[in-house]
Amino acid sequence: QVQLVESGGGWVQPGGSLRLSCAASRMIVSSYTMGWYRQAPGNQRESVAVIYSGRSTNYADSVKGRFTISRDDEKNMVYLQMNSLKPEDTAVYYCNGQHNILGRNYWGRGTQVTVSS
């Protein structure tokens, strides 16, 4: 079955950087709209960054200029480079793949990102 597996989370001090990775199996990331979402305790899951099949991207206002989503088609992976991290970025980060025409929507299990001093 389709799997999305996130990695790269952890603890970092404010101002630090992390790079999240999402490894996809049994799906081709370049054919999907791939995104990173996050959910902090007590909050709803929110979209952080999206990369479309044509490589255009979209970001939440709260992360613009700090986060960058990218895709490696040869490795079938998606990344989220996070710079200038803030405590409010603390959350579980999820990888998502959507194909509207096929009606498919896949989620990874998430990776914890904690930003604190």
Side-chain angles (χ1 to χ4, degrees):
Q1 73 244 23
V2 171
Q3 276 193 319
L4 296 174
V5 180
E6 302 95 337
S7 61
W11 173 83
V12 64
Q13 292 186 334
S17 298
L18 284 174
R19 188 175 87 149
L20 305 183
S21 300
C22 173
S25 60
R26 296 189 177 271
M27 63 173 284
I28 301 173
V29 296
S30 60
S31 298
Y32 283 68
T33 296
M34 300 300 299
W36 287 96
Y37 291 71
R38 68 186 181 187
Q39 187 168 17
N43 290 358
Q44 289 188 333
R45 192 173 296 187
E46 62 176 357
S47 175
V48 175
V50 175
I51 184 166
Y52 299 95
S53 57
R55 290 192 178 276
S56 61
T57 58
N58 197 20
Y59 296 91
D61 288 343
S62 58
V63 306
K64 280 181 182 176
R66 300 188 298 122
F67 290 11
T68 303
I69 188 170
S70 62
R71 192 181 76 207
D72 187 324
D73 293 347
E74 288 190 7
K75 295 182 178 179
N76 208 39
M77 293 189 66
V78 179
Y79 305 96
L80 184 68
Q81 178 66 45
M82 305 186 296
N83 298 328
S84 302
L85 282 161
K86 304 175 181 180
E88 51 263 43
D89 295 318
T90 296
V92 178
Y93 284 71
Y94 298 90
C95 181
N96 172 264
Q98 297 182 26
H99 197 301
N100 290 334
I101 295 176
L102 297 178
R104 293 172 182 170
N105 189 19
Y106 302 112
W107 290 94
R109 291 191 171 187
T111 185
Q112 176 71 46
V113 171
T114 302
V115 185
S116 73
S117 53

